[in-house]
Amino acid sequence: MSAPSSEEQHDLKKTRMVFVKWMKPPLGWFKLNTDGSSVQQRKIAGGGGVIRDGFGNWVVGFSIGFNFTSSVMAELLALRDGLIIAKSVGIKKIVVELDAKVVVSLITNSSNTKKSINSSVMDCKNLLQGFEECIVQHTYREGNRVADVLAKMGSYQADKFFIHYHYAPPNRETSFLLALDNMNVLTARSMKS
């Protein structure tokens, strides 16, 4: 085995490790994690999400299939559906967390958006105004694992546009990831400096 070249050593110096974990919302608040999934090769898309309380308890999750669309649109549609569900269960204070920086930026900034996604962005902004208090923030994929599993489930659903409500984790993988989140397990993420 040869020693790393100077170029490889330079690249190693540019990376750093960040430890990520899912964080509980403050007591009296709820957290909505959403994710979108768009698989170009299979022409499928879906979304999913989960709402948890200040103790990390599962309140409700969902998965939904969409006609094939872009990843940004899948993220926006999943967020919209998650906000509608949060309102329907009477949540007043909500932390919204997703791993798509572009969507967080679209929702938190007042800049113009492409016409193709403008109505979905406005839907999300309008729904957020219906909460007494809300925070929208980015997390890395490692802090959004439960929503990611639900989004992938949604993208493979045969019945598109039908929301499946999950009042408990729907499978072993989701239960396992929920338990890891509640145990504050850190996941390492390599980041370019």
Side-chain angles (χ1 to χ4, degrees):
M1 191 166 176
S2 63
S5 69
S6 62
E7 186 176 304
E8 290 170 328
Q9 287 176 352
H10 183 68
D11 285 345
L12 287 173
K13 289 178 185 175
K14 288 183 182 178
T15 61
R16 61 185 169 90
M17 294 301 279
V18 175
F19 294 94
V20 181
K21 68 178 179 176
W22 182 84
M23 301 287 292
K24 295 173 186 171
L27 291 179
W29 287 63
F30 292 82
K31 183 177 272 191
L32 167 65
N33 286 86
T34 63
D35 200 11
S37 174
S38 181
V39 183
Q40 180 83 32
Q41 300 86 344
R42 294 187 164 197
K43 300 284 187 219
I44 56 174
V50 61
I51 298 171
R52 292 180 260 190
D53 66 17
F55 298 101
N57 296 319
W58 183 285
V59 175
V60 63
F62 70 96
S63 54
I64 183 169
F66 307 128
N67 283 336
F68 180 68
T69 188
S70 70
S71 59
V72 170
M73 184 57 91
E75 294 275 358
L76 285 165
L77 294 172
L79 175 57
R80 181 202 62 200
D81 292 339
L83 292 169
I84 291 169
I85 293 168
K87 291 294 292 174
S88 75
V89 297
I91 290 173
K92 306 278 189 239
K93 298 179 181 182
I94 192 165
V95 176
V96 176
E97 199 169 65
L98 52 155
D99 60 21
K101 279 185 180 179
V102 65
V103 174
V104 172
S105 179
L106 288 168
I107 299 302
T108 58
N109 295 325
S110 59
S111 59
N112 292 334
T113 59
K114 294 180 186 176
K115 284 184 181 181
S116 60
I117 62 171
N118 189 48
S119 66
S120 295
V121 170
M122 292 311 298
D123 284 348
C124 292
K125 287 182 176 186
N126 290 334
L127 286 164
L128 284 164
Q129 290 177 354
F131 294 94
E132 286 178 10
E133 295 184 64
C134 68
I135 298 168
V136 178
Q137 60 192 25
H138 173 262
T139 187
Y140 293 111
R141 185 176 300 119
E142 294 82 357
N144 206 36
R145 297 177 293 200
V146 174
D148 180 65
V149 169
L150 293 167
K152 285 184 173 79
M153 284 175 55
S155 65
Y156 286 96
Q157 286 176 195
D159 48 354
K160 301 295 183 196
F161 303 107
F162 182 81
I163 296 180
H164 288 265
Y165 293 90
H166 307 288
Y167 293 99
N171 56 35
R172 286 184 180 163
E173 182 181 11
T174 310
S175 294
F176 177 71
L177 293 172
L178 180 74
L180 290 179
D181 286 350
N182 284 335
M183 291 186 297
N184 292 316
V185 172
L186 296 170
T187 304
R189 178 183 178 88
S190 181
M191 302 278 293
K192 295 219 184 241
S193 296

